[in-house]
Every structure is written in structure tokens, then in C-alpha cells.
Amino acid sequence: MSELKAIAKNTAPLCYLPDGRLVCYRRGRIVLLRDGEEEQGFAIPISKKESLHGRSRLASRLLRLGVREAIALDNEHVLLSRGNIIQEMNIQIGEISDGWFCGKGIRPLVFTEVKDITGFEDGIYFGGYLGNRGKRPVNIYHRTGVDTWEVVYTFAQGEINHVHIVVADPYRNCLWLFTGDFGEASAIWKVTDGFKRVERVACNDQKYRGCVVFALPEGLLYATDAPFADDYIYLMNPDTYDVKEIFPIEGSCIYGCQWKDKYVFSSTVEGDGRNTSKLEFYFGRKRGAGIKDDYVHMYMGELRDGFKEVYKEKKDWLPYYTFQFGVFRFPAGKNNSSTLYLQPVATKNDGKMVCITRK
């Protein structure tokens, strides 16, 4: 594998189309890349806030501007999550829908495609991701049409803070939900029969708190998102729900991807997350106990040959919560190319799209 190379400023790689093209966001434009070369691009409507502040990278970080998450519906249409709005874009002609409002403070952390899982309608799903200390009810949503979503399940008051990811598991013919963040809210749930049965199978430990999860024949491969506990890449036995430590990592994991036959996880530089005062929230730079150093680390591997660290970048000096955690973000979807694209945030390559070429 060659060294990491910066190739574009202020560019976020969002998702892959089924034909292999990469959809990116760059300051009010959706850009399509084929083999690393720009093929076409479209301007999209942006808010007054983004129009005024979007050219400043620090302001963009502070205000959480731009597209935060995306997924391809097919080779012509993608879903784009901006703020609390989900829009649909025809990337052949540049048309974008009016959008669907998720709810105040609610957005998807990850979109999931469900296909050919018995008892479930095919389509795109996500769970509500929000700051929710009071553990008010949280929904799971399913897309039914353009700008149309239905609630397929609701966690009751007091159960969870938010949903990290919905996992489609074709090997067990079910879905899994990973929720957070504290106490019994840190949990793994098994879902069958079209959400008629939602069973909490593991909870009340930070080793069950995950955001990046892969369903494999051997079980669920995931990394923990625990800023105040030691973090690992784990494999969960889907029958007994026991978890096995695969590899220790240097911090909590929020983002990852699959690259050909390899699985990629990145660690996070962030604070503790519990009982944070307003002063600490806005200006704090004290790492959580589970964050071992000031670097964002990237790990790669698979079950047979194991995992190893392949790259790292140091977190910048700015406060964690106000100007975002140090992370590496990756495009969604299948990447069978020879190049891994990512966007470092709050590091030396902040906001740039960078790539690693696999030999």
C-alpha cells in the first residue's frame, strides 16, 4: 500500500454508485468522479448560513455545514443528509427534491440498504441520531418514496439515547440495531419479522456500543465507540451473543468502511462525553479515558490475517465539541477499486479528500 496523498481541498467523499463512480460534496456542489477524475458536477441550493460561511473551513466545522451522510439508490439517484433534512438528487440532470425533515436535532448517522431479508421491505433505513440525554422516544425510519419516510419502530421513553446503525444481516435473515450511549442504552438488538420482534440481546456495557458493523458469516464484526473505556475490534457470536476481542484500538470508532476484502476502522479523538459542563463542552480538550493519544488512527484487516494500523494523523489544537472530533470519514457503499478515499476532519489534512492506493 502506498502513502496517503491529498488530492482535493474542501471535498467530502460521500458514497459510491453501483457503477463505481464516487459522489462527492464540494462547497455547494455535488461532484462525480470516475477513477479519480471529475466527470461532472452540479450546484445545489444551499442555505443562507452556508452561503455566508461555507467558504471558511472553521466556520463549516463549527456550524456543521455541508452534506453529512449519503447513500446511492441506483446509478442516477442519491440520498443526501444535510442538517435535519434528507433530500434526493438525480445526478444525471442535477435535480434535487425539496427534502424531508427528520425532526428537530435528528439526523441519520448511517443509512442502511435492506434487500432480500425475509419479513422486511426492501429499501433504505436509518435510526434517529440525536443528543438525547432525557432518553425521549427514538424512531427507526424506512424510505417509501421521494421525500417520504415511515416510522417502522419506536424505542420507548427511557430506553435509549439514539440509534447508531441498522445492520442488514443476510446470513441470519434479520436486522441488528446498535444503540447508545450510556448504561443500558448501550446495547445490541436483534430484529425479526418486520420489526414485530425487537429483542435486546446485549446491553449495559461499553463493549456493546458500536457505530461501524459488518455482518459476516462468522458473526458481527464491529469496533466500539467508547470514549471512556478501552476500545477494541470485536466479533460477536450471533447465537450466544458472546463477544471476542480481535484487536485493540487507540480510541472510539465512529467511521469505517469495507475496501475490497478488507475492513477499515478509524479511531476518534474526543472527550469523555459524560456529565460535560458547558465550559468543557465548548472549550474542552481533555481526552476521554479510552482515547489513548492525540492521533486519529486507521486500522485495516480481516478475520483470517488479522488487523493492523496503517495510518494516523494528529488532532489539531481546537476544542473537540465546538470544532468537531478528530476523525477519518469514508464514503458509503461498495468500494472494489484500487483506491481508498477518505476525508480527515480536525487533523493536518482537515477537509481535504485524500486517497491511498492499494498495490
Side-chain angles (χ1 to χ4, degrees):
M1 211 165 45
S2 63
E3 292 295 318
L4 184 142
K5 176 183 177 183
I7 59 174
K9 293 182 179 180
N10 300 305
T11 301
L14 299 177
C15 65
Y16 286 97
L17 300 177
D19 64 16
R21 286 178 296 166
L22 179 62
V23 181
C24 303
Y25 179 76
R26 182 186 300 152
R27 284 182 171 171
R29 290 179 61 81
I30 294 296
V31 178
L32 303 183
L33 303 183
R34 187 186 294 274
D35 298 326
E37 299 294 326
E38 185 171 333
E39 185 176 81
Q40 62 185 134
F42 301 98
I44 61 175
I46 58 177
S47 66
K48 292 182 179 179
K49 183 188 297 184
E50 186 164 358
S51 179
L52 181 62
H53 301 291
R55 302 194 71 81
S56 165
R57 177 58 190 162
L58 286 183
S60 294
R61 283 169 57 180
L62 173 67
L63 299 171
R64 275 57 174 176
L65 301 178
V67 179
R68 303 291 297 278
E69 185 64 24
I71 192 171
L73 298 174
D74 51 42
N75 282 320
E76 296 185 0
H77 303 88
V78 295
L79 295 181
L80 306 173
S81 173
R82 297 198 288 169
N84 308 124
I85 302 292
I86 298 174
Q87 295 174 286
E88 305 192 20
M89 186 172 186
N90 183 319
I91 56 174
Q92 300 301 314
I93 58 177
E95 288 186 352
I96 193 165
S97 70
D98 293 333
W100 178 75
F101 179 59
C102 304
K104 185 178 180 180
I106 301 172
R107 67 179 179 92
L109 181 61
V110 183
F111 288 116
T112 298
E113 181 181 17
V114 173
K115 187 175 182 180
D116 298 331
I117 304 291
T118 301
F120 297 90
E121 291 189 45
D122 289 355
I124 306 300
Y125 291 75
F126 77 91
Y129 185 69
L130 67 160
N132 187 15
R133 295 283 184 173
K135 294 184 178 179
R136 66 181 187 266
V138 179
N139 296 325
I140 306 292
Y141 304 91
H142 168 237
R143 177 185 175 273
T144 57
V146 177
D147 292 343
T148 307
W149 296 75
E150 64 175 347
V151 174
V152 292
Y153 184 77
T154 299
F155 287 100
Q157 173 72 39
E159 284 193 303
I160 67 169
N161 302 105
H162 49 233
V163 178
H164 289 152
I165 186 170
V166 178
V167 183
D169 187 347
Y171 304 104
R172 267 66 60 174
N173 219 26
C174 68
L175 305 184
W176 305 89
L177 307 176
F178 279 65
T179 63
D181 276 335
F182 311 106
E184 291 189 350
S186 177
I188 303 173
W189 310 70
K190 184 176 182 180
V191 186
T192 52
D193 197 17
F195 286 93
K196 292 179 181 178
R197 180 170 181 173
V198 179
E199 177 187 8
R200 186 168 60 186
V201 299
C203 71
N204 206 26
D205 195 303
Q206 290 294 289
K207 67 184 178 183
Y208 305 126
R209 177 178 169 179
C211 299
V212 183
V213 187
F214 302 99
L216 308 181
E218 299 86 349
L220 298 183
L221 180 70
Y222 71 97
T224 49
D225 168 39
F228 50 86
D230 291 338
D231 288 283
Y232 295 88
I233 298 170
Y234 282 108
L235 181 68
M236 189 188 84
N237 184 311
D239 298 316
T240 65
Y241 312 124
D242 293 331
V243 295
K244 176 184 177 182
E245 293 177 7
I246 301 298
F247 192 80
I249 60 177
E250 300 300 304
S252 52
C253 177
I254 304 175
Y255 300 108
C257 67
Q258 183 175 354
W259 185 21
K260 292 189 173 181
D261 61 341
K262 303 293 185 182
Y263 301 95
V264 179
F265 300 94
S266 69
S267 69
T268 307
V269 181
E270 62 172 311
D272 183 286
R274 298 172 299 178
N275 305 316
T276 304
S277 68
K278 286 188 177 180
L279 184 66
E280 174 67 20
F281 182 85
Y282 289 113
F283 302 108
R285 270 192 49 84
K286 181 179 179 181
R287 299 193 310 266
I291 313 303
K292 305 305 184 185
D293 59 27
D294 287 324
Y295 286 83
V296 180
H297 300 259
M298 183 164 66
Y299 307 90
M300 186 181 304
E302 33 77 28
L303 290 176
R304 184 187 63 185
D305 296 327
F307 286 80
K308 64 180 179 179
E309 180 181 313
V310 295
Y311 185 71
K312 66 180 181 180
E313 284 190 18
K314 191 173 184 179
K315 169 74 174 72
D316 64 22
W317 60 272
L318 291 166
Y320 299 148
Y321 293 98
T322 301
F323 288 99
Q324 300 192 30
F325 302 156
V327 297
F328 297 149
R329 303 188 67 186
F330 305 90
K334 294 181 180 180
N335 179 7
N336 292 315
S337 74
S338 61
T339 304
L340 174 65
Y341 294 93
L342 62 143
Q343 182 193 42
V345 176
T347 66
K348 70 176 183 180
N349 281 308
D350 174 68
K352 299 176 182 177
M353 183 169 72
V354 300
C355 69
I356 296 176
T357 301
R358 187 170 170 184
K359 296 178 181 179

